[in-house]
Amino acid sequence: MEGEPLSALCTPALVVDVDKVKRNAQRMMERCHQLGVQLRPHMKTHKTLECADIMTGGSRRCIVVSTLAEATFYADHGFADILYAYPLPFDKVERCAALSERLDLFQVLLDHPDALERLRKRPLKGGRRWHVWLKLDCGNGRAGVLHSEPEALQLARAIAEADGVELTGVYAHCGNTYNCKGVEQIQAVAQETTSFTLQFMEKLKAVGISCKSSIGSTPSCSHPVSDMGKLSEVHPGNYVFYDVQQSMIGSCGLEDVAVRVLTRVVGHCPHRNQLLVDCGWMGISLDGAGKLPTGYAIIEGHPDLKLLSMTQEHGRVEPISGPLDYSKYPIGSLLTLIPYHSCAAAAMHPVYHVHSEGRLMGKWTPTRGW
């Protein structure tokens, strides 16, 4: 299908504008270079080799993953310096050990003393050491030990002092930037997260511990503050695709969003003043809860339409106001959805159709599972 237009695809289909992907990746690399920090891009959004190569500039080094399936996938294809940035799951210690013994550098993350004890009870072969990042909660309120609590420093010291273990770094996710609207709010959260992280690094320094520091989220790294240059690394991920949510936060413009979901009209329902399309939640996900003025997505070129609701394989589209002109939307006609959350939309598809200026160039196949 290479060279054919997007309309040649069967729907629903996830399409990726490779030119926008490259532009988004290049901009992030330039920001990090100007800041003087190492970019450690997160693979969770796309989970493909091709996009990973674009995000790492072809180096196949210094990445973050959210699942061991991703870690193994990238390790099998020559990637190294992989950080598995998820609180250490006890049922996967052996898989983590295998990767640690196999790769030049595989790193794990923890936020509880019990996880450290699990690592101590499973020494690595060949005199290798576990490379561990401490997950710090700097206000995001998800995983991590709270930066201000004495337990955080205690756990950092315990990691640094444990046999067969090395404290490689301190990792904070400023996901609370996702509650922001506009650059000023984004930068306020970025500054707070950076300050808390740097303050914690000073506590470590005071007790003789030296390691890396890393924060990240797409909003904060799209509009970084100067103090982020005092960190070792940043680890955004969604920026390579962006989405409607990021445009609403202020991370990007809609013109920067690199992904779309194509769908076709499969039914006219005049008694409900609705169209039926072949994209249900299996094609774009329910993320966003339909809270956009246009429902679950933006229908590109049709600001007057709303993706009102979805079942597994069907979507209901209706006008925001007034009656539908069905002559504009014949059965089989194509609609283009800009997803609320690209990570969630991408996760629904076994293959991405890559294009440049609307002409198909090939397919990217993501890894799946955990």
Side-chain angles (χ1 to χ4, degrees):
M1 297 183 73
E2 287 190 25
E4 293 193 58
L6 298 183
S7 58
L9 294 170
C10 289
T11 54
L14 187 111
V15 297
V16 177
D17 186 327
V18 71
D19 300 313
K20 290 184 179 182
V21 165
K22 290 177 179 178
R23 185 164 64 246
N24 292 340
Q26 185 62 35
R27 285 175 179 170
M28 189 60 72
M29 286 188 271
E30 289 171 358
R31 283 189 205 105
C32 292
H33 178 73
Q34 291 167 4
L35 273 173
V37 296
Q38 173 68 52
L39 172 62
R40 182 182 289 275
H42 210 309
M43 301 293 107
K44 70 182 184 67
T45 298
H46 59 90
K47 308 190 184 196
T48 66
L49 291 176
E50 295 87 349
C51 199
D53 275 334
I54 292 170
M55 294 173 86
T56 62
S59 71
R60 298 202 164 189
R61 295 291 181 274
C62 200
I63 63 171
V64 190
V65 298
S66 57
T67 68
L68 277 177
E70 293 166 52
T72 303
F73 174 71
Y74 287 112
D76 288 346
H77 288 89
F79 284 73
D81 189 357
I82 299 172
L83 169 56
Y84 175 35
Y86 194 87
L88 185 74
F90 295 173
D91 62 323
K92 299 178 180 68
V93 169
E94 280 302 317
R95 289 169 64 190
C96 289
L99 286 165
S100 296
E101 291 166 350
R102 167 186 165 193
L103 298 180
D104 290 340
L105 183 57
F106 179 73
Q107 300 152 93
V108 297
L109 177 146
L110 58 80
D111 61 2
H112 197 279
D114 287 357
L116 175 59
E117 186 61 23
R118 290 278 176 154
L119 297 184
R120 290 181 64 254
K121 289 181 177 178
R122 185 16 179 122
L124 297 177
K125 299 172 184 176
R128 291 187 173 227
R129 297 164 64 85
W130 286 100
H131 294 276
V132 176
W133 289 69
L134 171 66
K135 181 62 181 289
L136 207 62
D137 181 356
C138 292
N140 183 40
R142 193 172 64 183
V145 57
L146 198 60
H147 69 96
S148 56
E149 292 296 319
E151 289 81 4
L153 184 57
Q154 291 168 9
L155 182 53
R157 294 185 72 169
I159 296 168
E161 295 167 2
D163 291 337
V165 178
E166 173 189 295
L167 178 62
T168 304
V170 172
Y171 185 101
H173 173 52
C174 44
N176 40 338
T177 51
Y178 279 63
N179 299 320
C180 294
K181 290 287 189 295
V183 175
E184 186 176 345
Q185 290 184 17
I186 290 170
Q187 291 188 326
V189 174
Q191 182 63 60
E192 180 182 71
T193 305
T194 301
S195 296
F196 286 156
T197 302
L198 292 173
Q199 289 166 17
F200 188 76
M201 301 309 292
E202 286 299 314
K203 293 179 185 177
L204 291 181
K205 185 178 178 181
V207 295
I209 297 174
S210 176
C211 66
K212 294 180 182 179
S213 55
S214 183
I215 76 162
S217 72
T218 281
S220 62
C221 295
S222 295
H223 299 291
V225 295
S226 59
D227 274 356
M228 288 168 65
K230 300 174 184 177
L231 301 164
S232 308
E233 299 181 357
V234 292
H235 51 259
N238 173 279
Y239 70 91
V240 74
F241 282 177
Y242 282 127
D243 49 37
V244 172
Q245 181 183 30
Q246 294 291 348
S247 73
M248 294 173 65
I249 292 168
S251 308
C252 67
L254 270 181
E255 67 276 7
D256 299 313
V257 181
V259 293
R260 303 288 191 273
V261 175
L262 303 184
T263 184
R264 281 188 167 83
V265 175
V266 294
H268 288 171
C269 310
H271 58 291
R272 297 199 306 266
N273 196 34
Q274 289 180 345
L275 301 170
L276 205 61
V277 297
D278 65 357
C279 181
W281 55 258
M282 284 291 288
I284 199 167
S285 90
L286 290 170
D287 210 338
K291 61 187 177 186
L292 295 172
T294 52
Y296 285 89
I298 288 177
I299 303 177
E300 193 165 31
H302 299 280
D304 54 327
L305 293 183
K306 179 176 184 175
L307 181 56
L308 177 72
S309 65
M310 290 178 287
T311 55
Q312 185 167 337
E313 304 294 351
H314 299 83
R316 298 182 183 92
V317 173
E318 67 177 31
I320 290 176
S321 63
L324 263 175
D325 181 354
Y326 288 93
S327 66
K328 293 181 178 179
Y329 312 104
I331 301 295
S333 58
L334 203 62
L335 294 176
T336 302
L337 309 178
I338 311 177
Y340 177 82
H341 187 186
S342 61
C343 307
M348 312 309 290
H349 291 262
V351 65
Y352 313 153
H353 300 275
V354 181
H355 71 95
S356 175
E357 298 181 353
R359 292 286 168 178
L360 293 168
M361 296 180 65
K363 299 176 182 179
W364 292 352
T365 302
T367 189
R368 290 290 180 243
W370 293 270

